[in-house]
Amino acid sequence: MLDRDGFRPNVGIILLNQKNQVFWGKRIRTHSWQFPQGGIDRGETPEQAMFRELHEEIGLKPEHVRIVARTRDWLRYEVPDRYIRRDARGHYKGQKQIWFLLQLIGQDWDLNLRATNHPEFDAWRWNDYWVPLDVVVEFKRGVYEMALRELARYLPRADHRNRFLRGGIRPREHDAASALQRDDTGAPPMIELPPGATFDPNPQAGFIATKGKNAN
């Protein structure tokens, strides 16, 4: 479902814990980290789509969260041609998104990356609100900046300085997953994750998860 300008309606989700840290998910089998997001189906409101995507991508239900705020209008990003299917080129341009700021009122163990048979993430962690944008796929960084700026005013803390905009700032070494490694036994590759992250090495096979201890 595209609008007349070629943008697909979509929702983005910034989920806070009680420390105002945000849910940060690693896209399956990549080293890119992002917020949950997904398309709005025909006949859905943005809020209905948000709750559906919330459950499909991270397993949470409406009773697990509280809506704090949402963006006032659509935020748009264009998708480079190399990421667009050939049959969609020429009429699909990108995404237009309504972003929701949610407060988790459930527990960490309510999160489930394998709530469906088509998981979007294979790891997650809690991160400072001003997330390191250089681990986000490049064409989404602008809309992330706009959403974080607009919704920051609804955080209970007073310091809303957007630290990711300062020149030369890089994420700490443990804020991004390291390269795949394989040991001499031929065991499956393991990903070295930041402290507090959880990882499912193969969400598609048998739903066997290797999980670290969640960050507080």
Side-chain angles (χ1 to χ4, degrees):
M1 182 176 68
L2 303 178
D3 67 13
R4 62 183 179 181
D5 296 318
F7 288 89
R8 184 187 181 197
N10 191 283
V11 292
I13 300 170
I14 301 174
L15 176 67
L16 300 171
N17 66 9
Q18 296 302 317
K19 296 181 179 180
N20 282 343
Q21 296 170 318
V22 294
F23 174 92
W24 201 220
K26 189 178 80 63
R27 286 192 61 83
I28 189 167
R29 291 184 291 275
T30 75
H31 293 298
S32 295
W33 292 72
Q34 69 171 57
F35 295 127
Q37 69 173 68
I40 300 175
D41 292 338
R42 188 176 301 276
E44 280 187 320
T45 66
E47 183 173 318
Q48 289 169 337
M50 179 273 292
F51 281 123
R52 177 179 52 76
E53 291 292 339
L54 187 71
H55 182 260
E56 290 178 0
E57 295 200 355
I58 58 177
L60 295 181
K61 299 178 181 179
E63 59 265 28
H64 293 140
V65 299
R66 176 177 65 88
I67 298 177
V68 178
R70 52 162 282 178
T71 53
R72 290 166 294 181
D73 204 350
W74 299 103
L75 305 180
R76 291 171 172 80
Y77 66 83
E78 296 186 12
V79 177
D81 282 346
R82 66 182 181 274
Y83 293 104
I84 301 175
R85 297 194 317 269
R86 287 187 178 182
D87 60 345
R89 292 174 185 173
H91 54 89
Y92 173 75
K93 193 170 184 180
Q95 308 274 10
K96 65 176 185 180
Q97 299 178 311
I98 295 293
W99 281 83
F100 288 85
L101 182 66
L102 306 181
Q103 177 80 57
L104 179 66
I105 57 177
Q107 303 295 330
D108 283 12
W109 56 75
D110 293 317
L111 291 158
N112 177 13
L113 302 186
R114 292 168 288 121
T116 71
N117 292 329
H118 304 285
E120 295 287 334
F121 304 117
D122 58 17
W124 70 274
R125 63 165 298 174
W126 294 115
N127 200 90
D128 290 341
Y129 182 81
W130 297 114
V131 293
L133 295 187
D134 54 355
V135 296
V136 178
V137 65
E138 185 176 3
F139 60 84
K140 294 183 181 180
R141 294 175 189 173
V143 78
Y144 272 47
E145 178 187 334
M146 290 187 287
L148 289 166
R149 280 176 179 267
E150 181 173 345
L151 296 173
R153 73 189 69 179
Y154 301 103
L155 295 173
R157 61 190 178 190
D159 183 7
H160 296 156
R161 291 174 297 172
N162 40 349
R163 293 176 290 165
F164 62 82
L165 296 179
R166 298 177 188 171
I169 290 294
R170 303 287 296 175
R172 294 187 300 273
E173 184 176 351
H174 64 263
D175 280 341
S178 299
L180 292 176
Q181 298 176 342
R182 181 178 293 272
D183 63 24
D184 294 337
T185 66
M190 298 298 292
I191 290 179
E192 183 180 328
L193 294 171
T198 62
F199 175 59
D200 182 349
N202 187 359
Q204 303 285 7
F207 299 137
I208 300 175
T210 301
K211 299 180 70 177
K213 185 176 181 182
N214 287 344
N216 293 324

